[in-house]
C-alpha cells in the first residue's frame, strides 16, 4: 500500500514538473527570436539610427554596398603570431593593438561614407535622434546617481 502511494507521488511529481516546464516554455521561449531581432536592429548603435531614417531604395543599396566592402576589409587574411611550434607574444600584442586601431578607423570610414549617402533632411533627423539618445542616457544616469545618494546609508 505504502509502495503504491510513494510511486504515485513520484509519478505525479514528475508529471507536474514536466507540465510546469512546458507552461513556462510557452510563455518565454522566444529567446532565440528576440536575440536575433536585437542583432538585426543594432540596438543603440549608429546603424540603428540610419535604418530608422526614410531611405529610398538607392540609398539602401549604397549602404549595403558600403557595409559589404567594410566587412571584406575587416576580415581580410591577417598575419599570425602562431607558428607550428612557437608563439610570438610581442607580435601578438602588436597585432591586437593594430586590430583595435584598424577597427576604429574602419568604423569611422564606414560612418563617413554612409553619412555622405544621406540627404540634408536625413542628416538633420539623424542628429536629432542621436541627441535624444544622449539626453535619455544622461537623464537615466542622473536618476541612478540620485538614487545612490539617497539610499539608506550609502553614498
Amino acid at each position: 500500500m505504502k509502495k503504491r502511494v510513494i510511486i504515485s507521488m513520484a509519478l505525479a511529481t514528475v508529471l507536474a514538473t514536466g507540465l510546469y516546464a512546458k507552461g513556462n516554455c510557452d510563455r518565454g521561449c522566444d529567446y532565440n527570436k528576440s536575440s536575433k531581432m536585437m542583432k538585426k536592429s543594432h540596438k543603440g548603435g549608429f546603424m540603428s539610427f540610419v535604418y530608422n531614417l526614410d531611405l529610398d531604395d538607392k540609398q539602401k543599396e549604397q549602404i549595403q554596398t558600403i557595409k559589404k566592402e567594410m566587412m571584406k576589409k575587416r576580415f581580410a587574411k591577417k598575419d599570425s603570431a602562431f607558428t607550428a611550434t612557437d608563439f610570438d607574444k610581442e607580435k601578438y600584442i602588436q597585432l591586437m593593438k593594430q586590430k583595435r586601431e584598424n577597427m576604429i578607423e574602419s568604423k569611422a570610414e564606414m560612418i563617413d561614407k554612409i553619412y555622405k549617402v544621406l540627404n540634408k533632411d536625413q542628416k538633420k533627423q539623424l542628429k536629432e535622434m542621436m541627441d535624444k539618445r544622449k539626453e535619455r542616457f544622461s537623464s537615466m544616469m542622473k536618476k541612478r546617481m540620485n538614487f545612490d545618494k539617497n539610499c539608506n546609508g550609502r553614498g
Side-chain angles (χ1 to χ4, degrees):
M1 182 69 160
K2 287 183 180 181
K3 192 175 187 180
R4 284 186 184 172
V5 172
I6 292 173
I7 291 173
S8 62
M9 289 292 283
L11 185 59
T13 303
V14 169
L15 288 173
T17 304
L19 289 174
Y20 179 74
K22 172 75 172 116
N24 282 342
C25 189
D26 288 343
R27 281 182 259 140
C29 277
D30 293 335
Y31 174 75
N32 286 334
K33 290 179 187 175
S34 65
S35 66
K36 287 178 187 171
M37 291 296 286
M38 189 176 286
K39 287 178 188 173
K40 190 173 185 178
S41 70
H42 303 282
K43 189 171 184 172
F46 174 79
M47 291 307 293
S48 68
F49 296 130
V50 172
Y51 291 135
N52 286 328
L53 297 173
D54 251 350
L55 301 171
D56 61 29
D57 291 336
K58 184 180 177 185
Q59 288 175 318
K60 289 178 184 177
E61 189 178 305
Q62 288 173 326
I63 290 171
Q64 284 300 93
T65 305
I66 292 168
K67 285 178 57 180
K68 285 179 185 176
E69 178 185 317
M70 291 297 154
M71 285 298 161
K72 285 180 185 175
K73 285 183 182 179
R74 184 177 290 172
F75 295 110
K77 186 87 173 160
K78 303 250 186 323
D79 239 1
S80 180
F82 295 94
T83 63
T85 59
D86 199 24
F87 170 69
D88 187 351
K89 180 181 170 182
E90 295 302 318
K91 188 173 182 180
Y92 181 80
I93 292 170
Q94 179 188 5
L95 288 172
M96 290 300 112
K97 286 180 181 179
Q98 277 181 338
K99 182 179 178 182
R100 182 175 49 218
E101 289 173 13
N102 290 343
M103 187 172 58
I104 293 168
E105 289 173 10
S106 174
K107 189 170 184 177
E109 185 179 340
M110 182 179 76
I111 290 172
D112 182 52
K113 287 181 179 182
I114 290 172
Y115 199 74
K116 289 177 182 176
V117 169
L118 304 177
N119 63 34
K120 250 184 183 174
D121 293 333
Q122 291 169 333
K123 289 176 183 179
K124 184 178 177 183
Q125 190 180 4
L126 178 68
K127 175 68 173 144
E128 289 171 358
M129 285 191 286
M130 292 172 80
D131 289 343
K132 283 181 184 178
R133 182 183 78 176
K134 188 176 179 181
E135 285 178 26
R136 281 195 316 262
F137 182 75
S138 65
S139 69
M140 182 181 68
M141 291 308 292
K142 199 176 212 180
K143 285 179 185 177
R144 281 186 176 178
M145 297 304 287
N146 288 336
F147 175 78
D148 285 345
K149 279 185 195 172
N150 300 322
C151 279
N152 303 321
R154 285 194 294 175

